Amino acid sequence: MARAAATTEPGRLRIIGAVLALLVVAFGAVTAWQTADRADAADDVLHKSQPLSAAAADIYRSLADANTAASSGFLAGGQETAASRRTYEEDIDNAAAELVKAANSSDPGSASAEAITKLNTLLPEYKGLVERARTYNRQGFPVGGAYLRYANQKMQEEMLPEAEKLYTKENQRLEEDYADATPYPWAAIALGVLALAGLAWAQHRNYRRTNRVLNHGLVAATATATVVLLWLVVGHTVARAGLNDSYDHGVLSLNVLHDARIASLKARGNENLTLVARGAETEKVTVDGEEKSVDKYDHEFTTDMGALGKGLAQAAKLADDEAGEKPVTSAEGNMAEWKKRHSAARDQDDNGNYEQALALVIGDKGATAECFDSVDKNLDNALRHEQKEFQQAAGDGLDAMTGLTAGAAVLAVLGAAGAVLGIGRRLSEYR
């Protein structure tokens, strides 16, 4: 029947009208589908996966900082300051609260959910060990140091690896959301070009057969399809640029800064534990092909400071404005001074002057504690700045796709109606 209908001009016009309407509707539907997927992914980047990645990093930071505060309080003995105790309690409470948020957002049975469950189990065990260490330390029993080292071992070997696993998984989710949000909607673009080509062909055919330049319905359909195609290409290009900018000048910097902050916290904790252990724990290392025994925590401190220096150097390269570069540069200066003071403290401790070494680590003035606090504060300022940069760029990217899904669907329906009406106008001439 279709073949028979195509033998007459009215039949051919009906087929042309149906094909044009189908092309325009298909263009609008695919555009709405692909832009909706990309807009949802961009929204997840801004409001879900990146905040969860930051929350996972904050869990790691809170746990590492709590461990550092616990060792600092232990070194102070019976004179543990209220500020040190408050820092420890706030870090533990913050880690617990962030774990609850992460649990509510994680998929059941996922690697993230497993890591969260383990951390929720280990956290009270760690707190119990720290409290025992404090109790024995106040009473002057040496076993307090053993409990603190055991608590640190649980933190370093069980809790922080799980927190790092959670951070890694949330970063992978963030990468996946970026991968879903940024690809060009080639299927929609191809259908748009095909629809415009079909409409142009139909109008040219109409002109050759009737010598009429314009068919109002087909012109309207062409105009709506052109608007949708331009809106799609321009809108997605702007959105893609914003999202790429949020990744290149936001996410990358945030990841490097988080790693640097974690390295500084681990360095501070190991610096404190060097004095807590007082040489009780050593490990074998190879230097110039020769194996030698070194203080475990001081060796780990050196490794952590190396990671901190590397992270700060990367962060300085990634910083794209003065506001982002200034705190990183300041942190590098703080780190250099920290190394000097640490070296002086180790010299005192190695010479048997434990109290002098202790003062150079946790004292009120001229101690490494000041340098650590400055590094941490500057890194926090840099993180806040880069977080704003990310939110601005990602928000701009998401805004560029606002209304595109609904607009494409509505304009496609109007375009299809225009194509049908335009062909219908020609059909009326045969009645």
Side-chain angles (χ1 to χ4, degrees):
M1 182 178 294
R3 183 179 299 177
T7 60
T8 65
E9 181 61 14
R12 286 190 288 269
L13 287 173
R14 290 188 182 94
I15 293 174
I16 291 171
V19 170
L20 289 177
L22 182 62
L23 275 175
V24 175
V25 168
F27 170 43
V30 173
T31 297
W33 163 53
Q34 290 197 308
T35 54
D37 278 353
R38 284 155 178 76
D40 287 344
D43 187 73
D44 284 344
V45 165
L46 182 60
H47 297 119
K48 189 175 181 181
S49 52
Q50 196 283 327
L52 281 174
S53 174
D58 196 41
I59 289 171
Y60 194 115
R61 185 205 64 79
S62 295
L63 291 174
D65 195 40
N67 200 45
T68 298
S71 60
S72 295
F74 183 94
L75 287 173
Q79 291 75 43
E80 179 182 9
T81 64
S84 175
R85 179 74 182 190
R86 184 169 59 252
T87 297
Y88 169 80
E89 295 292 348
E90 288 176 351
D91 284 331
I92 292 294
D93 291 343
N94 184 65
E98 292 294 343
L99 283 170
V100 171
K101 292 180 183 178
N104 292 334
S105 301
S106 64
D107 298 324
S110 65
S112 293
E114 291 177 4
I116 292 167
T117 299
K118 289 182 181 179
L119 285 170
N120 278 324
T121 301
L122 291 168
L123 189 58
E125 295 177 9
Y126 171 81
K127 289 176 63 180
L129 290 170
V130 170
E131 289 309 315
R132 288 179 187 175
R134 280 183 169 138
T135 299
Y136 286 123
N137 188 42
R138 291 192 190 99
Q139 296 173 358
F141 295 146
V143 72
Y147 270 107
L148 186 64
R149 291 195 298 275
Y150 184 33
N152 176 74
Q153 183 179 1
K154 183 174 287 291
M155 176 65 75
Q156 298 289 349
E157 297 181 5
E158 298 181 58
M159 298 177 71
L160 291 183
E162 290 298 330
E164 185 175 9
K165 183 188 299 183
L166 177 63
Y167 178 53
T168 299
K169 290 298 179 183
E170 295 303 337
N171 268 346
Q172 288 177 353
R173 186 195 297 193
L174 177 59
E175 295 282 350
E176 290 168 1
D177 286 337
Y178 268 107
D180 291 339
T182 54
Y184 270 107
W186 291 116
I189 293 173
L191 276 171
V193 172
L194 186 60
L196 286 175
L199 288 165
W201 173 83
Q203 291 175 86
H204 180 67
R205 181 180 185 277
N206 183 59
Y207 170 72
R208 290 183 60 187
R209 290 177 178 270
T210 66
N211 207 32
R212 294 170 186 165
V213 176
L214 298 177
N215 178 293
H216 295 302
L218 294 178
V219 169
T222 303
T224 55
T226 301
V227 169
V228 173
L229 184 58
L230 288 174
W231 191 0
L232 172 63
V233 172
V234 174
H236 191 271
T237 298
V238 173
R240 180 187 174 95
L243 288 169
N244 285 338
D245 187 53
S246 73
Y247 185 84
D248 294 337
H249 301 294
V251 172
L252 290 179
S253 293
L254 286 168
N255 288 344
V256 169
L257 289 168
H258 280 308
D259 290 343
R261 197 176 193 188
I262 288 167
S264 73
L265 286 163
K266 291 171 70 175
R268 180 59 179 170
N270 283 316
E271 182 176 47
N272 288 343
L273 286 166
T274 301
L275 293 176
V276 172
R278 305 188 74 167
E281 295 195 33
T282 60
E283 62 182 6
K284 299 290 186 179
V285 298
T286 302
V287 180
D288 298 329
E290 183 178 335
E291 189 176 70
K292 58 185 296 188
S293 180
V294 298
D295 184 287
K296 174 184 176 181
Y297 298 115
D298 192 46
H299 178 66
E300 291 180 356
F301 168 85
T302 302
T303 301
D304 294 332
M305 290 299 276
L308 173 59
K310 183 179 178 180
L312 290 176
Q314 290 178 325
K317 291 180 180 178
L318 289 170
D320 58 348
D321 57 19
E322 184 179 355
E325 185 178 0
K326 185 176 180 180
V328 176
T329 302
S330 297
E332 288 179 314
N334 301 144
M335 181 190 70
E337 181 62 26
W338 186 357
K339 287 181 177 180
K340 292 179 183 178
R341 295 184 184 184
H342 174 80
S343 180
R346 296 311 311 140
D347 287 342
Q348 291 291 341
D349 193 31
D350 291 341
N351 290 325
N353 301 319
Y354 178 79
E355 291 300 325
Q356 289 86 336
L358 187 63
L360 287 171
V361 172
I362 65 170
D364 293 332
K365 292 183 179 180
T368 59
E370 292 180 336
C371 301
F372 164 72
D373 289 341
S374 296
V375 167
D376 194 64
K377 181 179 179 180
N378 280 308
L379 285 174
D380 184 60
N381 290 337
L383 281 163
R384 290 177 186 275
H385 172 75
E386 297 301 336
Q387 185 68 29
K388 289 180 181 178
E389 293 277 293
F390 160 80
Q391 290 175 337
Q392 180 65 50
D396 290 343
L398 179 60
D399 290 344
M401 288 189 278
T402 300
L404 180 53
T405 300
V410 171
L411 289 174
V413 171
L414 293 176
V420 171
L421 290 174
I423 296 298
R425 181 68 179 272
R426 283 283 292 121
L427 282 170
S428 66
E429 296 174 2
Y430 288 89
R431 295 192 183 102

